[in-house]
Structure formats: C-alpha cells, structure tokens
Amino acid sequence: MRFLQRLERKFGRYAVPNLMKYVILLYAVGILIFSASPYAYLFLGLEVDQVLKGQVWRLVTFLIPYNRFGDIFFVFLKAYVFYMIGNALENAWGTFKLNLYFFSAVIFNILAAFIVYGIFRLNILGNFLMVVYSPLDIIYSSMFFAFAATYPNMQFLLYFIIPIKAKYLAWFNGAFYIYEIYKLIRVGFYLGIIPIVVSLLNFIIFFLGTRNYRRISPRELERKANFRRQVKEGLRYNSTGRQTVITRHKCAVCGRTELDDDDLEFRFCSKCDGNYEYCMEHLFTHEHVKKQ
C-alpha cells in the first residue's frame, strides 16, 4: 500500500477521471463497427506479427468487444453494470488506483501476447480468438471481483427479480472461469487459458496486496492470546499498574462477587435509586438507597 501511495504522489496527476465513460464508449464502438462489418475483427485483434509490422492500433483495438447484432440488449446491460461498478470503485479507491487497476490488466494482456508469440509464434489475442475471448469482458470480470471484495454485501437483482449479494455472484463467476479453464484443458488448448489467467492476475495482486497481514503476525497473535487469557481470568491493570479483578456482579452490601462462590445469585433492586446489585442474602434486607 505504501508503494501505491508513492506511485499516486508521483503519477496521480496523469490519471484519467471518469475512466468508465471511455471504457463504455468501446462497447458503443463495437456495436457500430460489427453491425456495419461483422468481419472487422480481422483488422482489430492483437496480431503481434502485424503490430511489429506497424499496425500499432491493434494494441488498443483488441479491447473492442466483438458484438453480434442480436446481442445489443445484453451489451447495454453489461455496459451499464460495468459503468456502475467502475464508478463505485473510483469513489472507494480514487481515480489513480482505478486507472492503475484497469490499465494493469490491459498491459498484462499485451505482455502475455508478446511473450507467447515470441515463444510459440501464436497470437493468443489474435483476430479469431477475439471472437471467442473479449479481453474487455474478462477485464470487466476482474473489476467485478474487485467490486465484490470492496462491497461484498451490495445486492444485485438477478433477472431483475432475485436479490443476490455481490460476493455470491463473484463466487459463481469464479466457478464459471474455472469451468472454462477445465474445458480448454480438456480439448488441449492450453494457450487459451492464458488470457483468462492474465486478465485476472491484477485482481490476485490487488487482493494479496491490500490484505492486512499485521493481524496474523506472530506478535499480534501473541497479543490477542494474552488479551483473551486476561479476559477469561478477569484480570486488568489499573492506572497504578497493579492488577485488579474485574467481575460481572458485586453485592453492594457485603461486596461478594461470583468469584467468591459459584452458587451466588445477584439481582438489581428496583426500589433503589441507581444501579445497585445485591446477593440473594441482602436483596430483601438491605436499606434502599434514595437520592436526596
């Protein structure tokens, strides 16, 4: 977290406010492009060999989601949810951290594409794979995981009727990706796993990097154990540093407590002015306390 704070102090002024507006614009562009020309993805996917030949626009256009004309309603719905969770994260984290989270996912995808191409001469985010895997949609899932970790009890209306908390949707989404990975392994397409894993890598880094590890440190565990032991034994230290016994009940007449005898019972007197507690021996024999 300190590292992020240093980065924000140094580069925070370059962060793009309201980033989600420009991300949602990619969905609108996708609808227009693929409605006009369904095969436009041939010129937009992250074909590394073409990028190396000068088609640098592919470093950005591979994010445009492939949208079939009949999917417009779901595209608008997905874009709305994307916009909502993006703004919620920006309000919770600040503009710089949201920018860092989103663009790190984009950069991870690009680096993975170049590494795989350099080793296997394959384009894992190429033209045809762009139809199967929309990097923007996977980044959307990564942001939803972050949203669920930040607002776990936020409710969504599944099918506009069934209320369900964000944390449960995130678990379901994670199970879906595990199933997708299983299917890719089953057909032997191992490189297809890389876009999914890489896009979710920034959430894993976020989750691990924002945990409070101090609470599980040996010193903290020892402190908690000592505290629980003192609570159990009823021991505390007063202002002079001397141990005093903290009890739940004490007779206002004889001063006996539950530590003196396990069979003692205590009651408050309704006729006394104030919170005065008595053992059963003095409950009916004491002199009632009255305010002057």
Side-chain angles (χ1 to χ4, degrees):
M1 296 300 292
R2 292 181 180 178
F3 175 70
L4 290 179
Q5 291 172 355
R6 289 196 294 268
L7 283 179
E8 185 171 6
R9 285 195 297 267
K10 190 172 184 179
F11 301 106
R13 62 181 179 275
Y14 301 113
V16 180
N18 297 317
L19 177 64
M20 286 301 102
K21 291 193 305 183
Y22 306 102
V23 174
I24 299 308
L25 184 62
L26 292 176
Y27 281 99
V29 170
I31 292 175
L32 294 176
I33 290 178
F34 296 114
S35 296
S37 177
Y39 296 100
Y41 63 85
L42 295 172
F43 306 97
L44 303 178
L46 187 52
E47 297 277 346
V48 177
D49 54 342
Q50 298 301 319
V51 173
L52 296 176
K53 291 179 182 178
Q55 297 183 14
V56 293
W57 65 81
R58 292 176 180 267
L59 295 173
V60 177
T61 57
F62 83 98
L63 290 172
I64 297 176
Y66 179 78
N67 299 313
R68 292 178 294 275
F69 186 78
D71 292 341
I72 290 182
F73 172 76
F74 296 101
V75 170
F76 277 114
L77 182 61
K78 186 182 298 182
Y80 169 75
V81 177
F82 205 161
Y83 182 79
M84 182 190 69
I85 65 176
N87 281 347
L89 289 176
E90 185 170 5
N91 291 332
W93 297 350
T95 300
F96 174 77
K97 291 180 181 177
L98 176 66
N99 277 245
L100 181 63
Y101 188 83
F102 179 84
F103 287 115
S104 63
V106 176
I107 293 171
F108 286 157
N109 272 283
I110 295 174
L111 289 177
F114 273 83
I115 291 172
V116 172
Y117 180 81
I119 298 175
F120 301 102
R121 288 296 186 269
L122 292 174
N123 291 296
I124 60 172
L125 294 174
N127 298 333
F128 293 100
L129 288 176
M130 184 179 178
V131 180
V132 180
Y133 294 113
S134 172
L136 188 61
D137 286 348
I138 301 178
I139 293 173
Y140 157 79
S141 296
S142 173
M143 291 187 63
F144 184 79
F145 286 138
F147 175 84
T150 306
Y151 301 100
N153 295 317
M154 179 71 72
Q155 286 192 342
F156 290 85
L157 291 179
L158 189 63
Y159 300 113
F160 303 102
I161 300 175
I162 307 172
I164 185 170
K165 292 183 178 180
K167 58 184 177 182
Y168 301 131
L169 286 175
W171 280 110
F172 175 80
N173 205 14
F176 171 77
Y177 277 120
I178 292 174
Y179 177 68
E180 287 293 309
I181 292 173
Y182 166 75
K183 288 197 304 182
L184 292 171
I185 294 175
R186 190 174 181 181
V187 299
F189 186 43
Y190 300 103
L191 292 179
I193 301 172
I194 296 177
I196 299 176
V197 174
V198 166
S199 292
L200 299 178
L201 182 62
N202 62 325
F203 169 71
I204 297 173
I205 294 174
F206 156 80
F207 184 81
L208 295 178
T210 55
R211 300 302 93 185
N212 182 14
Y213 296 104
R214 180 182 177 184
R215 59 188 177 89
I216 59 174
S217 64
R219 179 177 296 180
E220 184 68 10
L221 292 176
E222 181 182 4
R223 186 193 67 80
K224 289 182 178 180
N226 290 334
F227 178 79
R228 286 193 295 268
R229 184 172 61 253
Q230 291 177 1
V231 169
K232 185 176 181 180
E233 296 175 355
L235 296 180
R236 292 293 186 274
Y237 291 90
N238 58 21
S239 59
T240 63
R242 300 176 62 183
Q243 285 188 336
T244 59
V245 178
I246 304 298
T247 60
R248 297 182 61 184
H249 306 285
K250 184 178 181 180
C251 179
V253 176
C254 63
R256 287 187 298 175
T257 69
E258 71 273 14
L259 298 179
D260 295 313
D261 190 341
D262 293 337
D263 295 328
L264 282 177
E265 294 183 10
F266 298 85
R267 298 290 187 273
F268 284 98
C269 179
S270 60
K271 296 182 179 180
C272 290
D273 294 336
N275 295 323
Y276 291 94
E277 193 175 17
Y278 303 92
C279 65
M280 297 304 294
E281 182 181 344
H282 297 104
L283 178 62
F284 301 103
T285 59
H286 70 275
E287 183 179 349
H288 297 301
V289 178
K290 299 294 182 180
K291 292 182 179 180
Q292 298 297 329

